[in-house]
Amino acid sequence: MEKVYDIAIIGAGPAGIGTAIEAFIFGIKDILLIEKADNHSSTIRKFYKDNKRVDKDWMGQKVECEGNIIFMDGTKETTLDLFDRLLDKHKIDTEFNTEIEKIEKKGDIFDIETTDNRQFKAKNVVISIGKMGKPNKPTYKIPPSIKQKVNFNLDSCSQGEKILVVGGGNSAAEYAYFLADSNDVTLNYRRARFTRLNPENDKIVERYADEGKLRLKLGIDIESLESEHGKVKVNFSNNKSEIFDRVIYAIGGTTPTEFLRKCGLNIVGKKVEVDDNFETEIPGLFAAGDIVTDTGGSIAIALNHGYRIAKYIKENR
Ligand SMILES: Cc1cc2nc3c(=O)[nH]c(=O)nc-3n(C[C@H](O)[C@H](O)[C@H](O)COP(=O)(O)OP(=O)(O)OC[C@H]3O[C@@H](n4cnc5c(N)ncnc54)[C@H](O)[C@@H]3O)c2cc1C
């Protein structure tokens, strides 16, 4: 007989880890955490720069942690350490390198299918796959010859490059001033001023710009990219062009609607429709974290979703 888990959680980011740990603490026995990357928290690993400051009240969203996980301001590394410790201590069953393609309810049990045709079964399923699996891309085409030079995180960056960072949020600001210490960096935002930066980032960007360590290109959009001798020629809306070694877009992520719809979920605007207990229209199927928030979401918000779902499942299902 195939094992039937009490809860299967799809996506091991803060919402998934939060659900798993809180469920364990509530005494729920058979918990399975499934993650498509080779380790947990792939958004944090891939999109946060090393030593990035991690704010609990991210983007001014004040949150009181409701559950048992003590999450405080820290860095990328302390946050990953916290999740490592929690997963080790509570001995959660984890399947890494496992991408879920489809979830279907048959009677009272969910069939969970992976992209490599494996199957898991669970009484309750929590989808917590975040939005950064699909970073937002510009509307204009990126010529194939420069695709390696156009990135959506810091993975391919080295030193001494002329880099254009595109975006007006905290991620763009943090990428820009981090890279500016060892590269020639311009930060481009289509609006005339930053309105979404937290006070700390606002101050750092201003200081770097004043000290000439970071160039700001505000109120100017990008119209197209071209390849010029393997470098990126950026054509701006003011009819000027400039050549860069690399362009990095930090313009957020997109709700993975195709997958979510395939699982039978209703999407309203940019988020999955859930009730007050984070349950979808399908009883026993829950959604948590960034995919149920209109705004950017945050780690603390995601952890709270996990706590509420675990509590609800313990008390009601
Ligand atoms: C650059 C940047 C900086 C940020 N800084 C902060 C900060 O300082 N403080 C803060 O509170 N928040 C910050 N945030 C926001 C925070 O990272 C998110 O709100 C949080 O990670 C959301 O958690 P989540 O679990 O919903 O999704 P995610 O963290 O995105 O986790 C989703 C997980 O699901 C996995 N997954 C996706 N699809 C599948 C699938 N089909 N099958 C299996 N697994 C799958 C992914 O690989 C990933 O590991 C930042 C975000 C970014 C991009």
Side-chain angles (χ1 to χ4, degrees):
M1 274 269 290
E2 223 177 320
K3 178 163 183 169
V4 178
Y5 287 90
D6 290 322
I7 309 183
I9 301 156
I10 321 298
I17 295 171
T19 311
I21 301 300
E22 300 290 0
F24 185 96
I25 293 171
F26 274 116
I28 297 171
K29 277 202 185 67
D30 291 317
I31 306 162
L32 177 65
L33 182 57
I34 305 170
E35 166 59 48
K36 76 171 175 188
D38 59 4
N39 208 338
H40 64 83
S41 310
S42 80
T43 293
I44 295 176
R45 281 176 211 283
K46 219 164 136 186
F47 292 95
Y48 291 19
K49 63 187 175 63
D50 290 347
N51 298 315
K52 169 186 152 44
R53 205 189 57 247
V54 172
D55 304 317
K56 179 175 82 57
D57 294 335
W58 169 241
M59 308 255 265
Q61 307 178 91
K62 294 230 173 298
V63 188
E64 287 311 316
C65 289
E66 297 170 13
N68 295 285
I69 298 174
I70 299 166
F71 171 66
M72 296 180 293
D73 289 344
T75 62
K76 168 182 178 174
E77 290 71 20
T78 62
T79 307
L80 290 174
D81 283 350
L82 169 72
F83 293 151
D84 276 344
R85 274 199 310 275
L86 287 167
L87 289 172
D88 287 350
K89 182 176 169 201
H90 296 90
K91 297 196 176 55
I92 303 294
D93 254 3
T94 11
E95 289 279 346
F96 291 133
N97 294 310
T98 304
E99 181 169 1
I100 299 307
E101 192 169 63
K102 205 170 146 205
I103 298 162
E104 203 177 347
K105 193 167 188 184
K106 292 185 180 152
D108 285 340
I109 304 294
F110 289 93
D111 274 351
I112 303 159
E113 271 177 42
T114 70
T115 48
D116 58 358
N117 295 324
R118 284 182 298 144
Q119 270 209 354
F120 301 100
K121 289 188 185 293
K123 293 178 197 155
N124 299 283
V125 174
V126 181
I127 304 181
S128 48
I129 57 173
K131 290 184 179 172
M132 292 310 288
K134 238 186 176 183
N136 284 336
K137 306 225 159 131
T139 47
Y140 40 85
K141 195 170 180 298
I142 299 168
S145 59
I146 50 169
K147 276 212 163 125
Q148 304 293 332
K149 306 278 177 187
V150 177
N151 312 126
F152 299 88
N153 57 44
L154 300 179
D155 278 358
S156 322
C157 296
S158 55
Q159 299 192 339
E161 290 187 315
K162 185 177 173 194
I163 300 176
L164 181 71
V165 176
V166 184
N170 285 298
S171 310
E174 289 176 8
Y175 283 3
Y177 66 71
F178 170 74
L179 290 167
D181 286 333
S182 49
N183 297 274
D184 170 7
V185 179
T186 303
L187 175 58
N188 168 227
Y189 183 37
R190 63 196 159 90
R191 299 197 195 285
R193 57 189 194 87
F194 297 108
T195 51
R196 293 183 286 131
L197 297 189
N198 61 39
E200 183 86 0
N201 281 336
D202 216 4
K203 249 192 269 162
I204 299 176
V205 167
E206 199 182 314
R207 177 163 60 79
Y208 269 60
D210 285 349
E211 291 171 359
K213 287 161 85 178
L214 177 65
R215 278 178 292 136
L216 299 181
K217 220 178 188 32
L218 302 181
I220 299 166
D221 214 347
I222 297 175
E223 299 214 312
S224 62
L225 301 185
E226 285 175 58
S227 167
E228 184 141 316
H229 309 305
K231 296 197 175 199
V232 190
K233 182 176 174 193
V234 181
N235 299 316
F236 292 100
S237 54
N238 60 356
N239 290 326
K240 296 204 170 134
S241 300
E242 199 173 336
I243 311 260
F244 294 89
D245 295 314
R246 191 172 299 284
V247 175
I248 299 171
Y249 290 92
I251 50 178
T254 311
T255 313
T257 41
E258 203 184 315
F259 169 76
L260 295 168
R261 289 216 167 94
K262 212 153 94 181
C263 298
L265 301 188
N266 212 6
I267 293 158
V268 184
K270 290 180 180 171
K271 60 177 188 173
V272 175
E273 194 173 43
V274 285
D275 66 14
D276 291 347
N277 303 307
F278 298 92
E279 195 167 21
T280 66
E281 278 182 345
I282 303 170
L285 183 57
F286 298 79
D290 277 6
I291 57 167
V292 296
T293 59
D294 267 335
T295 55
S298 81
I299 295 171
I301 291 174
L303 292 174
N304 280 352
H305 292 174
Y307 171 72
R308 295 227 206 136
I309 291 171
K311 186 168 189 281
Y312 178 79
I313 290 176
K314 175 68 185 173
E315 290 170 357
N316 299 280
R317 293 193 45 88

